[in-house]
Amino acid sequence: MKLKERMPLLSRHEGVWEGYYRYYSPEGDKIDEHRSRLLCRFPSDDVYHQTNFYFWADGRKEVRDFPTKIEGNKIIFYTEVQGWAAEVPLDDFNRTVMLYWVRTNEDDLHLYEMIQLSDCGKYRSRVWQWFKAGKLLQRTLIDEQFITKDWASYENTQSAYDDVAQF
């Protein structure tokens, strides 16, 4: 069975997403924010690949690439981020994907992420909870809007902060 058939909710995320990442301390103080463009793609029947482009107002940019492996109904990340992503079968509304991951370049740091996709498929909200040595380190709130299913036209393009949609 093809990956899109095994993970139908995840397949609804395919395409280009743009939005904002906002980082907060455990006390609720904003630490940082930046715009984002994510390319979520299924380049073949059994492959999921994600590339994240981050843009700060001061001109800084960062690109993170996440090729994956598939194990059953889980996506496995194996780069500087190691962990998994899976649909939540207890969600009767089929809106929720959960992730667990660690950054291999930082000691004793792990994150849990919840992604909620709107029923219309145009919006998603994500929450990261970062834990260091078992204690909450920070939270990241991510608000995104679907741009297009045509991720291929966004590959290998150079964008800037002002090129990312504002909403």
Side-chain angles (χ1 to χ4, degrees):
M1 181 183 297
K2 296 177 183 178
L3 178 60
K4 285 185 178 183
E5 294 167 356
R6 290 195 323 262
M7 300 183 82
L9 174 58
L10 183 70
S11 72
R12 292 181 58 211
H13 292 258
E14 182 177 27
V16 179
W17 293 86
E18 293 185 353
Y20 293 89
Y21 281 56
R22 294 175 178 98
Y23 297 79
Y24 295 90
S25 71
E27 297 76 32
D29 299 318
K30 188 187 289 184
I31 300 168
D32 191 17
E33 79 175 355
H34 58 80
R35 291 186 186 172
S36 62
R37 174 178 290 152
L38 277 63
L39 306 184
C40 302
R41 52 206 187 275
F42 294 84
S44 67
D45 287 342
D46 290 308
V47 175
Y48 175 77
H49 189 155
Q50 182 172 313
T51 305
N52 297 4
F53 299 88
Y54 302 131
F55 309 94
W56 283 263
D58 66 6
R60 287 180 294 147
K61 297 179 185 180
E62 185 176 326
V63 178
R64 292 203 170 202
D65 196 48
F66 302 103
T68 66
K69 300 177 195 172
I70 308 303
E71 292 180 8
N73 289 341
K74 274 192 205 178
I75 292 174
I76 306 298
F77 297 96
Y78 60 88
T79 59
E80 82 273 6
V81 169
Q82 294 184 353
W84 53 263
E87 296 179 6
V88 176
L90 294 174
D91 179 3
D92 294 333
F93 301 100
N94 298 311
R95 297 177 184 138
T96 309
V97 175
M98 294 293 297
L99 292 84
Y100 169 79
W101 43 286
V102 297
R103 286 198 172 153
T104 57
N105 59 352
E106 296 185 48
D107 289 334
D108 203 15
L109 176 71
H110 65 275
L111 293 89
Y112 285 96
E113 177 179 355
M114 181 181 72
I115 304 172
Q116 291 293 125
L117 182 65
S118 66
D119 291 337
C120 68
K122 294 179 183 178
Y123 310 99
R124 68 181 185 183
S125 297
R126 301 164 49 208
V127 177
W128 297 356
Q129 296 207 96
W130 303 61
F131 296 91
K132 179 119 179 133
K135 184 178 179 191
L136 179 66
L137 177 66
Q138 66 184 18
R139 290 186 176 97
T140 304
L141 304 180
I142 305 160
D143 301 302
E144 296 170 313
Q145 184 171 313
F146 183 73
I147 303 300
T148 180
K149 210 155 186 63
D150 181 19
W151 52 263
S153 66
Y154 283 77
E155 279 194 313
N156 303 314
T157 61
Q158 295 294 320
S159 300
Y161 181 82
D162 292 331
D163 296 330
V164 178
Q166 297 181 43
F167 60 94

